[in-house]
Amino acid sequence: MNQFLQYAENRDLREKLYKGYINRGMNANEYNNSELAQKVANLRITQANLLGYKNFAQYSIEDKMAKTPEEAMNLLTQVWTAAQPKINEEIADMQKLASAEPTPIKLESWDWWYYAEKVRKAKFDLDQEELRPYFQADSVMQGAFWTANQLYGLTFEALSDYPKYHEDVKAYKVSDADGSHVGVLLIDFFPRAGKLGGAWMDNYVPQRIENGKDIRPVVTNVGNYTKPVGDKPALLSLDDVETVFHEFGHGLHGLLSKVTYPSLNMNVPADFVELPSQVMEHWATHPQVLKQYAKHYQTGEVIPDVLIEKMQKAETFNQGFVTGEFVAAALLDMNWHLLETENNLDAAAFEKVAMDNIGLASSIVPRYRSTYFTHIFSSPTGYAAGYYSYLWAEVLDADAFRAFEETGNIFDQKTAQSFRKNILEKGGCEDPMDMYLNFRGAKPTPDALLEGRGLK
Ligand SMILES: [Zn+2]
């Protein structure tokens, strides 16, 4: 849908598609979910009360890193407030173009993608395809290995005779700085018939201690990137590159694990589990790391500074909108689950009150509306009162990377050792906030996240 909204010249069709999309489950027919959402929310109040909680959010967040709905709300409100000036700036930029049309128009929600794309072209002209030749899959993986070497002293040696389930799979023996065995990493990057889509990390053999013996793990990083064709190697997009580093971060969490019981291996709350992965994305696009691995597949030329600068500038593009529609959805989720008494409004009416209360700009709609917000309504627990956790995890990774930056060296050894010891090795053995405090010496703040998104 976004592609259509981005490029379709016909404004009426943009409006038609957009309204069709945002009214899913809210139309006057048998598929209307409005009352169902209301019913689920009301039943959750009963469930929470039976378990001794005032509301469902309290119950759901108690064993997360945030611990209380107030902590989660505090983060959402801070980010929401910080995003407002940027949202207004983006609206003004787009309205300028919309007003200059032969028939001037007032920007509406179905126009956002279309004019944002025009602003992007004018202000941040970055063609993603220009980057691809510098992102050969093998080199990107080597870049991730190099980063782990600089941070933790790990080395990765290809194993040619390791038993594998498919010829596309590559196996690496991972060793520590002192030569001791860390584990085995399997890389399975290309699509094939019968393989699940997407990218993930998994533990084939989880690390644990058995009869006094440290069983080292076998972990896998799976992706579905474009396969090499003829003599053209697999070339990745910038998104893919970030995904490779992301999954590799989960991989390091599994590889460096140092727990006794397998049940505690990587067993951390949903608002903490993305810290080891997302933090790696900061190295992926750091100029110092890019220059190490991003080399043109034909000429070997290192990625030029002008492309790196364009990439960095593009990072803050449209972030007011992206942040606004996310936080609106997260606040909507919290509104549903902070209810302490049965609510007598159906989804559409409830949502209107909630969004009016936060003063949502008329040209932004929450990323998910109540009647198709499957994260919070389709499973008994899932992300109910937990949609905030994506943002929470980003606060953590931005703040954690800031710890490295503050030393003036993104590979600072003291900080890296502390991250390894206090976060990566610990699995679910300690309270996540304690682990973070031990690493950082302070609670995380959203400052680094806001700066990264150009909101501060
Ligand atoms: Zn992840």
Side-chain angles (χ1 to χ4, degrees), residues 208-346:
R208 74 234 183 231
I209 309 264
E210 237 173 58
N211 302 321
K213 192 170 177 275
D214 186 2
I215 311 290
R216 297 311 308 170
V218 176
V219 312
T220 179
N221 271 185
V222 185
N224 276 280
Y225 311 112
T226 319
K227 244 189 136 144
V229 189
D231 52 5
K232 201 173 170 199
L235 299 174
L236 306 187
S237 67
L238 177 58
D239 268 0
D240 294 339
V241 170
E242 288 172 341
T243 306
V244 168
F245 274 72
H246 178 109
E247 298 308 334
F248 182 63
H250 285 305
L252 289 174
H253 199 191
L255 284 164
L256 295 175
S257 173
K258 226 176 162 179
V259 300
T260 302
Y261 304 104
S263 59
L264 291 173
N265 185 307
M266 295 181 75
N267 187 0
V268 292
D271 56 1
F272 188 77
V273 71
E274 297 301 335
L275 166 61
S277 51
Q278 286 177 187
V279 77
M280 288 305 293
E281 296 178 33
H282 293 272
W283 277 279
T285 52
H286 193 283
Q288 218 177 316
V289 183
L290 278 169
K291 293 201 171 213
Q292 186 64 34
Y293 74 85
K295 293 177 181 158
H296 197 283
Y297 80 100
Q298 283 164 320
T299 62
E301 172 213 15
V302 174
I303 190 166
D305 289 336
V306 10
L307 266 184
I308 297 183
E309 274 159 35
K310 274 193 195 175
M311 265 169 69
Q312 287 174 331
K313 250 179 103 182
E315 270 170 26
T316 58
F317 163 71
N318 210 30
Q319 286 299 310
F321 174 77
V322 172
T323 308
E325 66 159 9
F326 176 88
V327 178
L331 286 169
L332 178 61
D333 167 32
M334 290 303 282
N335 268 274
W336 276 113
H337 295 108
L338 282 169
L339 286 171
E340 290 179 11
T341 48
E342 288 213 350
N343 145 61
N344 55 12
L345 297 174
D346 73 10

Side-chain angles (χ1 to χ4, degrees), residues 185-206:
L185 173 65
L186 298 177
I187 303 286
D188 179 357
F189 268 1
F190 305 117
R192 60 181 172 268
K195 179 174 163 182
L196 196 66
W200 66 90
M201 169 271 174
D202 211 344
N203 260 310
Y204 285 136
V205 176

Side-chain angles (χ1 to χ4, degrees), residues 16 84 95 108 165 236 260 286 288 293 299 374 387 452:
K16 200 171 165 194
Q84 296 314 306
Q95 186 59 57
E108 298 285 357
Y165 56 87
L236 306 187
T260 302
H286 193 283
Q288 218 177 316
Y293 74 85
T299 62
T374 53
Y387 194 61

